[in-house]
Amino acid sequence: MNDVGVGIGQRPVNRRQRVVKSLWTGIWLVYLSAPVTDLLHGGHSTGVRILGWLGLAAFVTWYMLLVFRTGRGESNGLVLGSLGVLAAQSALLALTLGREWLVLFVYVSIASGAALPLRMARWTIPSACALLTAVAFAVPGGHSYLAGLLIPALLGGFAMTGVRELVRTTIALREARATVAQLAANEERLRLARDLHDLLGHSLSLITLKSELAGRMLPGQPDKAAQQVADIEQVSRQALVDVREAVTGYRRPRLTAELAGARVALTAAGVAAELPAEPALADVPEESESALAWALREAVTNVVRHSGARRCTVELVGRQTLDGPVLELTVEDDGSGGKGMGDGNGLAGLTERLTKAGGTLEAGPSKHGFRLVARVPTAGPADVGSRA
C-alpha cells in the first residue's frame, strides 16, 4: 500500500496513516449529534452542560482507545472492564441528561463486537441491548427511541464480530504468506548448497588425491608429477566452469516465477492485476525467456513504486512475424506513466538485454497510463496463452 492507506489488519506506521484511520473510525461518531444537540439546545444549566461535555468527551476518548487497541494482545478481562466503564457512562449520562443520550449504548454494542471474540461478544452484545432497554424505560420518553436504537445496536455489534474475524483471517494469511516465502528461500539455499556440493565434491576430492600423488612422485619421477599437476589444472578449470554455470543458472530469472512474483507484488500494493496463466515455454530459448523475465520484473517494479496505478494488465502471446515467431510481453497500467523507468535498470538496461537476445522493446504513454511491449524470438510457434 502507499504511505496513506492502511491495509486490512495492518497497524498505522506513520502519522498520515494514523490520521486516516482516526478519520475512518471517527466518522461514525456523527451519530452523536443527538447528545451534542441536547447540550447546545436542551435548556440545561451551565453546570450541567459542562458536566455533559466532560462526560461525552470521556466516553468518546474511552471508545476510541478501545477500538484502536483491538487485537494488540490485551486480555479479555481488560476489554470487559473497559466495556463496563463505557456502559456505566452511557447509563449515567442517559439517566441524568435525557433520552437523547441512549444512542451511546449503540457504541457500547459495536465496541463489544470489535474488541471481543465471538464466544464472548454473543453475550455482551445482547447484554448491552438489555441495558439499553432497561434505561430507556427508566428515562422519560425513552421508550419512543427504543425501536430506533435496538436494531442498530444488535446489527452493528454482530456485524463488527464479522469484521473482527475478517481482520484476524487477513493477518493470519499475511503471516502464512511470509512463512511460505521464508521456507521457499531456505529451500533454495539448501538446493544451492546441495548442487555446489555435488559439483565440487568430486572435483575437490580428485584435486586432493592428485596433489598427494604428485607430491610423492616429485622427487623421483618429475615427469609423472608434472602430468599430475596438469591434470589438477584441468580438473580445477572444469570445476570453475561448473560453478559459474550453476551460479548463472540461479541468477537467471524465470518467466513463470516472475509472473507469480508479479501477482504477489501487485496484490500487496493494492493494484488490480490481470495476468496470464502459467505459460508453456518449451520452444523459448533460455536467453529469450530470461530477457522477458527481466522486462516483466522491471515493469512491475515501476508500476508498484512509481505509477500510482490502480490496475495493471499483463499479456503474453506468441506471434508469427516476417522475421519468424516471437513471444510478446505487454505490461500496461492506468497510472501516471513510467517515470521510474528511465534511470538505472530502466529502459536502457531492458533494451540492452532484449537486443542481446535478439528482441525489441517499445515503451511509452498509452491512452490511460503507460504501456511496455517486449518481444523476443522463439525457436518455433509457441502456444503460451493470453491475458487471464
Side-chain angles (χ1 to χ4, degrees):
M1 300 295 289
N2 54 33
D3 62 345
V4 177
V6 185
I8 296 178
Q10 290 180 321
R11 300 179 185 177
V13 297
N14 54 46
R15 184 177 180 181
R16 298 183 69 181
Q17 290 185 356
R18 293 188 187 95
V19 171
V20 170
K21 184 173 182 179
S22 299
L23 291 176
W24 275 108
T25 305
I27 194 174
W28 304 106
L29 297 178
V30 68
Y31 294 104
L32 292 177
S33 58
V36 171
T37 302
D38 179 63
L39 289 175
L40 294 175
H41 308 292
H44 300 294
S45 65
T46 303
V48 172
R49 287 184 179 180
I50 294 175
L51 293 176
W53 283 114
L54 291 176
L56 183 61
F59 179 89
V60 171
T61 302
W62 201 279
Y63 169 80
M64 294 290 285
L65 288 176
L66 181 61
V67 174
F68 255 86
R69 299 296 298 181
T70 297
R72 298 197 179 184
E74 286 81 357
S75 64
N76 291 330
L78 179 60
V79 175
L80 284 172
S82 300
L83 290 172
V85 172
L86 286 178
Q89 287 179 324
S90 302
L92 179 62
L93 290 171
L95 290 172
T96 56
L97 295 177
R99 60 184 184 178
E100 290 80 4
W101 295 78
L102 291 172
V103 71
L104 298 183
F105 286 101
V106 177
Y107 291 91
V108 177
S109 178
I110 291 175
S112 299
L116 287 174
L118 180 59
R119 59 184 175 84
M120 302 183 70
R122 64 182 179 179
W123 299 107
T124 57
I125 294 173
S127 298
C129 294
L131 183 58
L132 165 62
T133 303
V135 175
F137 280 103
V139 174
H143 64 279
S144 62
Y145 279 39
L146 190 57
L149 295 177
L150 267 180
I151 294 179
L154 279 171
L155 294 183
F158 283 108
M160 287 306 299
T161 62
V163 173
R164 174 186 170 89
E165 291 302 315
L166 174 62
V167 170
R168 293 183 61 185
T169 302
T170 303
I171 294 174
L173 288 175
R174 187 177 292 113
E175 292 175 349
R177 180 184 295 174
T179 301
V180 169
Q182 183 63 38
L183 291 175
N186 292 338
E187 178 62 26
E188 191 69 8
R189 294 191 192 98
L190 291 175
R191 189 161 69 94
L192 178 58
R194 288 194 299 266
D195 288 354
L196 289 178
H197 176 270
D198 294 340
L199 286 172
L200 296 180
H202 174 73
S203 299
L204 293 178
S205 298
L206 186 58
I207 289 173
T208 301
L209 180 62
K210 285 186 171 292
S211 297
E212 294 175 351
L213 185 59
R216 290 196 299 268
M217 290 179 174
L218 189 57
Q221 298 175 307
D223 294 339
K224 292 184 177 181
Q227 181 61 43
Q228 296 297 329
V229 172
D231 292 344
I232 292 172
E233 180 182 1
Q234 182 179 0
V235 171
S236 61
R237 289 182 181 277
Q238 183 59 43
L240 182 60
V241 170
D242 292 340
V243 170
R244 285 176 175 172
E245 290 180 352
V247 173
T248 300
Y250 276 97
R251 293 178 60 188
R252 180 183 295 119
R254 299 294 181 183
L255 193 54
T256 301
E258 291 301 324
L259 284 170
R263 185 182 301 277
V264 173
L266 292 170
T267 302
V271 180
E274 296 182 18
L275 290 93
E278 183 174 343
L281 303 172
D283 294 324
V284 181
E286 287 189 1
E287 189 175 11
S288 296
E289 180 189 355
S290 177
L292 279 190
W294 279 113
L296 177 61
R297 179 185 297 183
E298 293 294 339
V300 170
T301 299
N302 174 65
V303 172
V304 171
R305 293 184 178 178
H306 306 294
S307 69
R310 296 182 179 179
R311 179 175 298 275
C312 178
T313 301
V314 178
E315 295 181 0
L316 188 64
V317 294
R319 300 188 186 280
Q320 184 67 39
T321 67
L322 295 176
D323 296 327
V326 298
L327 181 58
E328 181 180 280
L329 171 73
T330 303
V331 182
E332 186 170 4
D333 63 72
D334 61 353
S336 57
K339 62 181 181 180
M341 297 287 291
D343 303 320
N345 291 325
L347 294 180
L350 290 182
T351 302
E352 292 177 1
R353 290 181 186 276
L354 289 166
T355 301
K356 185 177 180 181
T360 59
L361 178 69
E362 298 176 7
S366 64
K367 183 178 180 180
H368 301 292
F370 189 81
R371 187 169 184 262
L372 180 145
V373 181
R375 301 182 183 91
V376 293
T378 62
D383 181 14
V384 296
S386 60
R387 184 178 66 185

